[in-house]
Amino acid sequence: MTDPYAGMVIDAHHAGQRGAGGYPATLAKALNRHFTADALAIISQWPGYRPTPLLALSAMAADAGVGSVLYKHEAGRFGLGSFKALGGGYAVFRLLAQRIEEETGHVPQVADLLAGRYRDITQKVTVTCATDGNHGRSVAWGASLFGCNSVIFVHGTVTRQRAEEIARLGARIVRDPGNYDDAVRAANAAGEANGWLVVSDTSYEGYMTVPLDVMRGYGVLLHETLEQLGSTRPTHVFLQGGVGGFAAAIISGLWEHYGANCPRIIIVEPENAACLLLSARNGRPSVVSGLHDTIMAGLACGEPSLVAWPYVEGAVSDYLAIPDEAVRVAIRQLAQGSGQPPVIAGESGAAGLAGLLVAAADGTMRQALGLDGQSCVLLVGTEGATDVQMWESITGRKLEQPA
């Protein structure tokens, strides 16, 4: 049978073996297990918290010719369909707690905000951000959960369904005609003009603290994964790119846990928005211009997060830029199940798997990445079908189970 990934053109960059020197103390100051423990102590008190499953995808392992494929399935996270709730919601909580402490002198507990005990303060607060869909949804959800207002900026190619899902959480939607990075600038300008709190998942000059809190929230995902892995050590980890915040959060936890024996880390990006690959080639954070047109909406980013970049640069050995069609094929394969329960994955959620399968189908790339029948590959399915219409158009099926 013909391999559906054979012959797909990908752009790739090999940065050399990274991470072998152990987790640098300079990076550990900002992201470490203690920050993760603090985030977990907060997030585990939110209604609906439970660890998401780590699935063994034996059919995908056979297709890729590797020993095992382990897939952290984030579709059920807090009913929002993606891992983003961990970061956006946590950053909103931190900002509101800080505001309450400034005004009252008391450090609020999670139960206080959930019960609305400081609503006289929180209802005067508005949070804002730019989004491709999932981050804005998580910020709007956090605002709703903890009793403040939200204004979310979406860019020109964000689908109507994604914008409507955010609006259902009580957010006011503002559509910017440009790309994601234009929307980031628009949200920042509106925040400054109106006194709103910006909750961005990307960082830039003069704005580092909140994105770090977002990344610390993401660290809970890796904490769960390490507990689920137990004594199993992945040899390869394929991570979605975007601005790099998600990748940096996972990288920091892996690097701290495994030290000099850190798995080989590969970044996967859309071919039209491969800002991390370009940055690695240039040896500095670099910008990909244009509208970044891709179905991988959560990865349609042209500028790396400055606070995330040192973690990515320090530990990532390889970068892959893949076409949209690779993701469509991966989504269909996951939905079919191939002898095991079907997995519902969104376009960005399936990108890591698509990167693995494209690379595994190319003999030269396979050898370059050191993939073989003994490899244990860890993936993060970062989202479920967060755009149901898109998922149904790709798979030709009706979604009959929760995204």
Side-chain angles (χ1 to χ4, degrees), residues 45-240:
Q45 297 180 62
W46 299 353
Y49 172 76
R50 63 181 183 277
T52 53
L54 183 67
L55 308 178
L57 302 183
S58 56
M60 294 300 173
D63 288 345
V66 297
S68 58
V69 171
L70 303 174
Y71 183 93
K72 180 68 167 167
H73 190 26
E74 288 293 299
R77 184 71 76 177
F78 288 113
L80 296 183
S82 89
F83 80 103
K84 288 281 189 176
L86 294 170
Y90 181 62
V92 170
F93 175 87
R94 293 269 297 170
L95 285 168
L96 291 176
Q98 181 180 351
R99 176 65 60 88
I100 291 166
E101 184 178 6
E102 289 171 353
E103 296 198 17
T104 68
H106 299 291
V107 177
Q109 301 301 306
V110 174
D112 294 331
L113 270 75
L114 292 174
R117 293 189 183 119
Y118 293 99
R119 192 166 293 275
D120 58 327
I121 297 173
T122 61
Q123 66 184 359
K124 298 175 186 176
V125 175
T126 297
V127 293
T128 189
C129 71
T131 188
D132 291 308
N134 291 335
H135 177 66
R137 192 174 178 185
S138 73
V139 169
W141 175 73
S144 174
L145 190 64
F146 302 123
C148 69
N149 309 295
S150 60
V151 178
I152 308 298
F153 286 72
V154 299
H155 58 85
T157 60
V158 172
T159 64
R160 176 184 291 182
Q161 181 173 352
R162 287 195 170 97
E164 289 176 348
E165 291 290 343
I166 299 169
R168 287 192 188 100
L169 293 166
R172 177 159 68 88
I173 304 298
V174 178
R175 188 172 285 275
D176 185 279
N179 61 25
Y180 170 75
D181 304 299
D182 295 324
V184 169
R185 287 183 277 272
N188 185 56
E192 290 185 357
N194 295 287
W196 301 338
L197 301 180
V198 178
V199 189
S200 179
D201 60 351
T202 190
S203 61
Y204 38 87
E205 290 295 340
Y207 183 79
M208 301 287 186
T209 303
V210 174
L212 265 175
D213 276 338
V214 171
M215 292 159 64
R216 289 164 181 166
Y218 295 162
V220 170
L221 183 161
L222 196 275
H223 169 82
E224 294 173 0
T225 304
L226 291 173
E227 287 203 334
Q228 291 163 330
L229 284 169
S231 61
T232 299
R233 175 192 168 274
T235 58
H236 298 73
V237 183
F238 285 70
L239 296 173
Q240 291 86 328

Side-chain angles (χ1 to χ4, degrees), residues 339-363:
Q340 57 190 68
V343 175
I344 308 302
E347 305 84 63
S348 299
L353 174 62
L356 164 65
L357 294 173
V358 169
D362 183 295

